């Protein structure tokens, strides 16, 4: 495949924002020759990194560039004589990677490490030399992006390199920022590789690097990587999309006129705003075409509105929805509920009188920086002092080594990844599970039962109570036997939703373990690895946990007589329904069934609607004046010795007669008890249920 086919930026219609900035593509061959041949004076930066310095000063006007000069001279000297497969001097690669990061607004420490990122891997420069010359922080970042030796790891070198980078990213996210920029430049120049190697690198980029760019919020890198991968792995669809964009370029584009209308509306409302038309990148156009079929002119881009303050975003939204026809289904508020990758914006869509529908994004300028550059826009996220342009530009702004570093992104996905990778020593398992983990593109937050802000658990969308158990308790979750979600008892397989409150119920028996079917409901790698490891270590116990499911509930004596219920039907036999076990003073309904008997249900029982639906004859029912009643209770508990004796003793202390009792065999350390009880007074039922719940090991008591 030609270099042009693998580089969407070669086509003006693919990246029109380059034309808007007025910045020409750099001639890296010329820069390489300047790096090798051009002498530089000691008091100024070498000409070869003038573009880097210019881009860096645009974001950090007061940055001290002397450390960049020293880093460049070391990189140029150490790489001298090395050539890339594309024919340029090798120094052009670290220069290009550093320029990418400089344009995103990276601070000086990141750019210094970027210039040096291949020196330890490909030259005689050592980490000790980097540490002595540039400090511990730059040394840590360079070490983080340095590949492991293939001679030591063989076929496992690639997954182990990514494992090393991810662990380093857990301590400093700038490691992954450099890796992403490095991969972007390599993808731009991938056309010189053999087609099969292009495809292999593109697949790894698609499965690992692009999801990481999304998680770190670096949309500017993510979108271009997507286009480059698209061109390599799907050349025919790429060419058809490129032709579609080229055909649109020759037609009238309605978006500039809509943008002018938006400017006029906001100007009349007194809202200071910058309105831009943002063309979609190739993959975005392809996705829209597959979703909507034939595309209209307004589908090839979106309108971006930039304002100063958060409140202005909502003011803009109000004006747009007042002066245009809003498409309500397209509205999303990512300011009130930011995405887990730092992204914040308001998304909406409006219809014009001409029938066009334009998507509109509203955000502040700071939100825009973060939306484009993600963690790169945070500068030095670990600086403890009040950051200024100079402080964040040097390695002296690093944190106190004794102070815990805080991940500037929402820590859920990264913390989960760092936790489970420790349990996956096998490189193939790590590589497979990593791709599956990164394929989860949404995240939810659930709360522990205490409801505190610190009691939150971040999980991928679709996670179950099993995942929450392992996220909170680690291997202790092997003994989990149930959960309450939003106060209601539920099974461990139940999926969780964003904002749920979860109380996990653990067995007291330390030898208990998970069931094999848990793997069908576990979504997180940590849970799946832990469950699989336990099942492999306990093959006999694993077989036992897959035995027959709990037998149907058998209630002895629950149906029998009618207790205190009296039907307005002479000589009719009255039976209290076992499904809802009504007791005085419950509101009840009676229905005539086969044999001339009257079955009595609580008025809100689901069976009442079924009886009426099938045309059962309704019979009036009332309670006798006597206070005694019969009721069936279900008790859920952990399995432990003497539990039945303790429960019956608690029931006896309340003066209640046990008519019958059924105890089912334990399942996953959970035991279900069914009691049919004769109460001397129905008013004592709440106190009886509280007394049964107070028995150690009992976690739920309810009417049958």
């Amino acid at each position: 495949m030609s270099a042009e086919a693998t580089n969407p930026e070669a086509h003006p219609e693919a990246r029109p924002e380059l034309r808007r900035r007025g910045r020409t593509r750099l001639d890296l061959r010329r820069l390489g020759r300047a790096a090798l041949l051009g002498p530089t004076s000691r008091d100024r930066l070498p000409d070869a990194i003038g573009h880097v310095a210019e881009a860096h000063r645009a974001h950090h006007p007061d940055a001290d560039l002397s450390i960049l000069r020293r880093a460049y001279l070391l990189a140029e000297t150490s790489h001298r004589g090395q050539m890339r497969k594309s024919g340029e001097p090798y120094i052009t690669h670290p220069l290009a990677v550093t320029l990418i990061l400089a344009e995103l607004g990276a601070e000086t420490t990141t750019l210094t490490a970027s210039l040096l990122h291949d020196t330890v891997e490909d030259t005689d420069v050592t980490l000790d030399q980097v540490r002595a010359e540039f400090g511990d922080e730059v040394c840590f970042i360079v070490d983080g992006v340095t590949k492991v030796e293939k001679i030591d790891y063989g076929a496992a070198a690639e997954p182990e390199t990514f494992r090393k980078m991810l662990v380093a990213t857990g301590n400093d996210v700038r490691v992954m920022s450099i890796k992403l920029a490095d991969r972007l430049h390599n993808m731009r120049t991938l056309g010189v590789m053999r087609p099969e190697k292009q495809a292999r690198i593109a697949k790894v980029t698609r499965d690992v690097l692009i999801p990481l760019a999304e998680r770190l919020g670096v949309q500017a890198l993510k979108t271009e990587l997507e286009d480059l991968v698209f061109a390599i792995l799907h050349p025919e669809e790429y060419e058809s999309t490129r032709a579609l964009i080229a055909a649109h370029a020759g037609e009238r584009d309605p978006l500039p006129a809509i943008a002018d209308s938006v400017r006029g509306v906001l100007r009349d409302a007194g809202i200071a705003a910058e309105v831009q038309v943002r063309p979609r990148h190739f993959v975005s156009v392809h996705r829209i075409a597959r979703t909507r079929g034939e595309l209209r002119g307004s589908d090839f881009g979106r309108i971006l509105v930039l304002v100063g303050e958060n409140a202005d975003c909502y003011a803009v939204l109000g004006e747009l929805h007042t002066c245009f026809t809003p498409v309500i289904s397209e509205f999303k508020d990512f300011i009130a509920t930011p995405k887990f990758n730092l992204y914040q914006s308001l998304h909406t869509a409006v219809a014009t009188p001409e029938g066009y529908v334009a998507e509109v994004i509203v955000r502040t300028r700071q939100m825009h920086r973060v939306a484009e550059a993600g963690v790169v826009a945070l500068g030095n996220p670990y600086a403890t002092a009040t950051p200024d342009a100079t402080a964040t530009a040097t390695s002296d702004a690093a944190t106190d080594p004794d102070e815990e570093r805080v991940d500037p992104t929402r820590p859920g996905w990264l913390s989960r990844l760092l936790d489970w990778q420790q349990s996956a020593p096998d490189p193939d398992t790590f590589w497979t599970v990593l791709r599956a983990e990164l394929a989860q593109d949404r995240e939810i937050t659930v709360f522990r039962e205490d409801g505190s802000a610190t009691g939150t658990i971040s999980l991928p969308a679709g996670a179950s109570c099993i995942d929450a158990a392992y996220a909170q308790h680690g291997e202790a979750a092997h003994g989990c036997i149930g959960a309450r979600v939003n106060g209601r008892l539920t099974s461990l397989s139940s999926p969780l939703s964003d904002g749920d409150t979860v109380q996990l119920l653990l067995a007291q028996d330390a030898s208990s373990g998970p069931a094999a079917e848990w793997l069908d409901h576990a979504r997180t790698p940590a849970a799946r690895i832990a469950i699989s490891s336990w099942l492999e270590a306990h093959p006999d116990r694993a077989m036992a946990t897959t035995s027959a499911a709990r037998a149907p509930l058998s209630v002895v004596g629950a149906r029998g007589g009618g207790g205190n219920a009296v039907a307005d039907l002479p000589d009719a036999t009255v039976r209290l329904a076992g499904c809802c076990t009504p007791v005085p003073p419950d509101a009840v309904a009676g229905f005539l069934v086969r044999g001339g008997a009257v079955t009595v249900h609580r008025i809100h029982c689901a069976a009442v609607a079924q009886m009426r639906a099938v045309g059962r004859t309704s019979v009036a029912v009332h309670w006798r004046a006597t206070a005694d009643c019969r009721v069936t209770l279900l008790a859920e508990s952990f399995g432990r010795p003497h539990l039945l004796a303790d429960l019956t003793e608690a029931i006896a202390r309340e003066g209640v007669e046990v008519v019958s009792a059924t105890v089912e065999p334990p399942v996953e350390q959970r035991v279900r008890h069914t009691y049919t009880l004769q109460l001397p007074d129905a008013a004592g039922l709440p106190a009886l249920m509280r007394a049964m719940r107070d028995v150690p090991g009992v976690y739920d008591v309810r009417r049958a």
Side-chain angles (χ1 to χ4, degrees):
M1 187 176 299
S2 68
E4 179 179 338
T6 62
N7 185 5
E9 280 205 351
H11 307 289
E13 65 272 17
R15 305 288 289 182
E17 61 269 25
L18 294 176
R19 297 198 307 270
R20 289 199 305 273
R21 289 200 300 261
R23 179 172 292 152
T24 59
R25 291 292 303 277
L26 298 181
D27 185 347
L28 294 179
R29 292 180 183 272
R30 181 181 60 79
L31 290 181
R33 287 194 296 272
L36 293 173
L37 304 175
T40 60
S41 63
R42 291 183 172 271
D43 59 348
R44 69 185 183 91
L45 285 167
D47 291 339
I49 57 170
H51 289 82
V52 173
E54 178 187 352
H56 187 40
R57 280 282 173 83
H59 294 277
H60 304 275
D62 300 324
D64 179 6
L65 301 181
S66 61
I67 191 173
L68 283 182
R69 179 182 186 278
R70 290 189 287 117
Y72 170 75
L73 291 176
L74 176 59
E76 187 276 320
T77 302
S78 58
H79 287 299
R80 185 173 296 171
Q82 295 179 349
M83 307 295 287
R84 303 191 78 220
K85 290 187 178 180
S86 55
E88 298 99 347
Y90 196 88
I91 189 62
T92 60
H93 172 65
L95 276 171
V97 172
T98 306
L99 180 60
I100 291 169
L101 293 168
E103 290 185 325
L104 289 175
E107 39 72 57
T108 312
T109 300
T110 304
L111 301 187
T112 303
S114 175
L115 285 168
L116 302 170
H117 79 273
D118 276 338
T119 54
V120 175
E121 182 179 321
D122 295 333
T123 74
D124 294 331
V125 174
T126 66
L127 286 173
D128 289 338
Q129 288 177 276
V130 174
R131 182 181 293 106
E133 183 73 18
F134 301 100
D136 290 338
E137 196 165 11
V138 171
C139 178
F140 180 86
I141 299 174
V142 171
D143 184 32
V145 296
T146 299
K147 296 178 182 177
V148 301
E149 292 288 345
K150 192 166 186 178
I151 193 172
D152 296 328
Y153 288 88
E158 185 170 39
E160 289 302 328
T161 293
F162 272 99
R163 188 200 297 265
K164 176 188 175 187
M165 289 181 185
L166 289 167
V167 172
T169 300
N171 289 312
D172 196 324
V173 294
R174 292 172 293 183
V175 171
M176 192 54 65
S177 299
I178 294 176
K179 177 59 181 176
L180 291 172
D182 173 75
R183 179 53 60 96
L184 175 58
H185 182 246
N186 284 333
M187 289 292 295
R188 285 175 175 175
T189 57
L190 204 59
V192 298
M193 300 286 186
R194 299 187 310 274
E196 58 271 20
K197 189 168 185 179
Q198 290 184 33
R200 184 184 66 80
I201 295 174
K203 287 177 181 176
V204 174
T205 303
R206 176 196 63 194
D207 295 342
V208 180
L209 274 303
I210 289 175
L212 284 170
E214 169 71 17
R215 278 158 159 48
L216 294 174
V218 195
Q219 295 296 321
L221 302 187
K222 179 212 168 193
T223 54
E224 188 174 348
L225 284 172
E226 282 184 328
D227 284 349
L228 292 163
V229 167
F230 184 42
I232 294 171
L233 298 183
H234 306 281
E236 294 181 0
E237 294 178 350
Y238 170 79
E239 287 299 330
S240 64
T241 303
R242 189 169 71 88
L244 191 64
I245 294 174
H248 166 69
E251 300 174 354
R252 176 182 172 274
D253 188 350
L255 286 177
I258 298 173
D260 286 339
S261 299
V262 171
R263 290 189 192 96
V265 166
L266 300 182
R267 184 171 55 249
D268 294 343
I271 301 174
E274 178 183 352
V275 181
Q276 304 175 5
V277 175
R278 298 264 294 181
R280 294 183 184 274
H281 64 107
F282 275 36
V283 172
S284 180
V285 172
H286 176 67
R287 289 171 181 159
I288 291 293
R290 292 184 62 181
T291 302
R292 301 179 184 175
E294 184 177 354
L295 298 183
R296 305 188 66 188
S298 57
D299 293 328
F300 287 86
R302 292 181 288 190
I303 294 176
L304 174 66
V305 180
L306 300 178
V307 294
E309 304 292 339
N310 286 19
D312 295 336
C313 295
Y314 293 97
V316 169
L317 183 70
E319 292 298 326
L320 292 177
H321 285 189
T322 300
C323 300
F324 298 91
T325 302
V327 182
I328 301 301
S329 61
E330 296 294 325
F331 173 67
K332 297 180 181 67
D333 188 346
F334 295 119
I335 295 178
T337 55
K339 292 185 179 181
F340 67 93
N341 61 358
L342 307 177
Y343 181 87
Q344 288 183 286
S345 291
L346 295 178
H347 287 212
T348 189
V350 295
T352 67
E354 294 80 14
Y356 292 110
V357 175
E359 294 185 32
V360 184
I361 300 174
V362 185
R363 58 174 71 134
T364 66
R365 290 175 178 82
Q366 175 60 21
M367 291 176 192
H368 183 59
R369 284 190 62 227
V370 175
E372 291 292 294
V375 294
V376 179
L378 299 178
N380 181 355
Y382 309 111
T384 55
T386 302
D388 57 71
T390 304
T392 58
T394 68
S395 59
D396 294 334
T399 58
D400 184 334
D402 295 330
E403 183 173 337
E404 182 181 358
R405 289 184 167 189
V406 179
D407 180 10
T409 66
R410 285 182 62 183
W413 69 270
L414 186 54
S415 298
R416 288 198 309 272
L417 191 152
L418 295 176
D419 287 342
W420 69 254
Q421 67 85 24
Q422 296 177 353
S423 304
D426 177 58
D428 291 336
T429 300
F430 168 77
W431 199 230
T432 301
V433 178
L434 174 64
R435 296 182 185 210
E437 166 78 359
L438 293 176
Q440 305 286 342
D441 59 353
R442 291 194 306 114
E443 191 167 280
I444 62 173
T445 299
V446 298
F447 298 90
R448 300 178 187 176
E449 65 274 12
D450 57 9
S452 63
T454 57
T456 60
I457 306 172
S458 296
L459 298 167
S464 66
C465 295
I466 294 172
D467 299 299
Y470 282 94
Q472 180 174 348
H473 297 293
E475 291 189 357
H478 292 333
C480 196
I481 60 172
R484 291 182 186 273
V485 177
N486 302 324
R488 297 178 64 88
L489 193 68
T490 187
S491 66
L492 287 173
S493 61
S494 299
L496 296 169
S497 300
D498 197 35
D500 281 346
T501 299
V502 182
Q503 178 186 1
L504 299 162
L505 308 174
L506 298 182
Q508 296 176 337
D509 183 1
S511 64
S512 60
E517 56 265 25
W518 286 17
L519 288 172
D520 297 332
H521 307 287
R523 296 291 178 268
T524 58
R528 297 186 63 83
I529 290 173
I531 295 167
S532 298
S533 299
W534 190 93
L535 294 174
E536 290 173 4
H538 303 81
D540 297 336
R541 297 280 302 281
M543 291 296 295
T545 62
T546 59
S547 59
R550 174 182 297 163
L553 186 63
S554 175
V555 182
V556 178
R559 289 184 178 269
N564 298 330
V566 178
D568 293 344
L569 190 65
D571 301 324
T573 301
V574 179
R575 297 174 182 171
L576 299 180
C579 57
C580 57
T581 60
V583 299
D586 291 342
V588 292
F591 295 92
L592 191 63
V593 295
R594 291 174 184 173
V598 175
T599 301
V600 180
H601 296 264
R602 279 191 275 174
I603 195 69
H604 297 298
C605 178
V608 171
Q610 296 174 2
M611 290 286 191
R612 289 171 176 164
V614 298
R616 295 290 187 187
T617 303
S618 177
V619 178
V621 178
H622 63 275
W623 298 108
R624 288 195 183 99
T626 55
D628 66 316
C629 69
R630 179 172 294 190
V631 65
T632 300
L633 297 180
L634 299 180
E636 297 269 3
S637 68
F638 304 122
R640 67 171 179 83
H642 311 298
L643 178 62
L644 180 59
D646 292 344
L647 267 170
T648 53
E649 182 181 350
I651 293 170
R653 282 199 303 266
E654 297 297 318
V656 175
E657 176 188 354
V658 179
V659 177
S660 66
T662 302
V663 181
E664 300 179 16
V667 176
E668 299 178 12
Q669 295 298 314
R670 294 170 59 180
V671 182
R672 175 182 286 183
H673 310 250
T674 305
Y675 295 94
T676 301
L677 306 171
Q678 188 72 33
L679 278 70
D681 190 341
L685 181 59
L688 170 65
M689 296 175 70
R690 283 195 298 271
M692 294 174 67
R693 289 193 186 101
D694 289 339
V695 174
V698 176
Y699 58 84
D700 188 48
V701 176
R702 64 186 185 277
R703 289 167 66 178

